[in-house]
Amino acid sequence: MPIPPTELTVPAGTFVTVRLMGSLSSDVNQAGDGFSATLEQPVVVDGWVVARRGQIAVGHVVQAQKAGRVRGVSSLAIALSDISLVNGRQVQVTSQLVQTSAGTSKGRDALALATTTGMGAAIGGAIDGGPGAGIGAGVGAAVGIAGVLLTPGRPTVMSPETLLTFRLEAPITINTQRSTVAFLPATQDDFGGGVPAVQPRPAMPAYPVPPAYPVAPVYPYVGWPYWAGWGFYPSVSFVGYYGGYHGGHSGHWH
């Protein structure tokens, strides 16, 4: 079995994609609220898997802002904060949201991602047809961070199963000395596609069932009439005249 290096470092700039387990809303959640997700793809360093697909990742809400009553843009800023490793440990991460599967489109229900304050102005104008550029710039300036989700006129909502991609802002160094067996080389199966690294063994052929042999026929019983049951035997009746019977101490038949 190959042995991994004593240290593996996840470099800054690595993209981590997760699938949201619950829902998030700018009208419900507040800064500091946590959320859980599962890794959509493994985290691989120099060919070694350090976090497998399906493992738990934890994040938190950085800021939530409701839309105005008449007109406005709601915003929701989130970040990934912890990732579970293959050895069972959790490591803290510093991340920035860069992509979401919620989609973008023009109109009232659009959802956009502002990566910078300037980009917030551009997105604000795009989703509101032009006049919303000032609103987008205002939200970007107010939040002052990257990775802000914006929705004009309505709450910013992310439903369960939403895919979120974060970029790590700082490297992560992992010591493998105490759990070398947990770190394995990456295979196609780790990414959920292609042919599995280990092929399943073919099933043993099924042997044919032998034919059933005919059973000897059961012949009916011919004999005395009988009644079913334990201890019952044929009953015999005698019919005739034997004369009278004279009682007495020593009665006898005639």
Side-chain angles (χ1 to χ4, degrees):
M1 178 180 296
I3 301 176
T6 56
E7 283 189 353
L8 292 171
T9 300
V10 184
T14 299
F15 293 98
V16 179
T17 300
V18 300
R19 187 178 293 273
L20 193 62
M21 296 177 66
S23 61
L24 294 172
S25 171
S26 59
D27 276 5
V28 177
N29 294 105
Q30 300 177 354
D33 288 351
F35 66 86
S36 297
T38 56
L39 288 178
E40 184 68 11
Q41 294 295 337
V43 179
V44 180
V45 178
D46 297 333
W48 297 92
V49 178
V50 298
R52 294 198 178 278
R53 179 167 52 96
Q55 288 194 270
I56 299 296
V58 178
H60 66 279
V61 176
V62 179
Q63 184 175 358
Q65 178 177 312
K66 298 180 181 180
R69 293 183 179 180
V70 179
R71 184 177 181 180
V73 176
S74 64
S75 65
L76 186 64
I78 60 176
L80 203 62
S81 53
D82 291 270
I83 297 177
S84 298
L85 302 180
V86 292
N87 60 358
R89 295 184 56 192
Q90 278 194 333
V91 293
Q92 294 184 348
V93 300
T94 304
S95 65
Q96 173 184 310
L97 181 65
V98 295
Q99 188 177 2
T100 172
S101 67
T104 59
S105 61
K106 293 184 179 181
R108 188 174 177 83
D109 296 328
L111 183 66
L113 179 64
T115 56
T116 64
T117 302
M119 186 61 72
I123 292 176
I127 61 180
D128 203 28
I135 299 174
V139 171
V143 175
I145 62 172
V148 182
L149 293 168
L150 308 172
T151 304
R154 299 188 67 176
T156 298
V157 178
M158 285 183 289
S159 59
E161 301 295 322
T162 298
L163 291 178
L164 304 170
T165 300
F166 297 87
R167 182 175 61 240
L168 300 184
E169 298 295 293
I172 307 169
T173 301
I174 303 167
N175 191 309
T176 66
Q177 290 181 335
R178 295 185 178 180
S179 52
T180 56
V181 295
F183 296 88
L184 300 174
T187 65
Q188 290 181 338
D189 195 37
D190 290 310
F191 294 87
V195 181
V198 179
Q199 295 290 335
R201 297 181 62 182
M204 295 294 293
Y207 292 98
V209 179
Y213 292 98
V215 181
V218 178
Y219 295 96
Y221 174 80
V222 178
W224 289 94
Y226 65 95
W227 285 264
W230 180 260
F232 289 88
Y233 299 92
S235 175
V236 181
S237 299
F238 295 92
V239 180
Y241 178 75
Y242 296 94
Y245 174 79
H246 295 278
H249 180 72
S250 58
H252 59 277
W253 291 91
H254 289 286

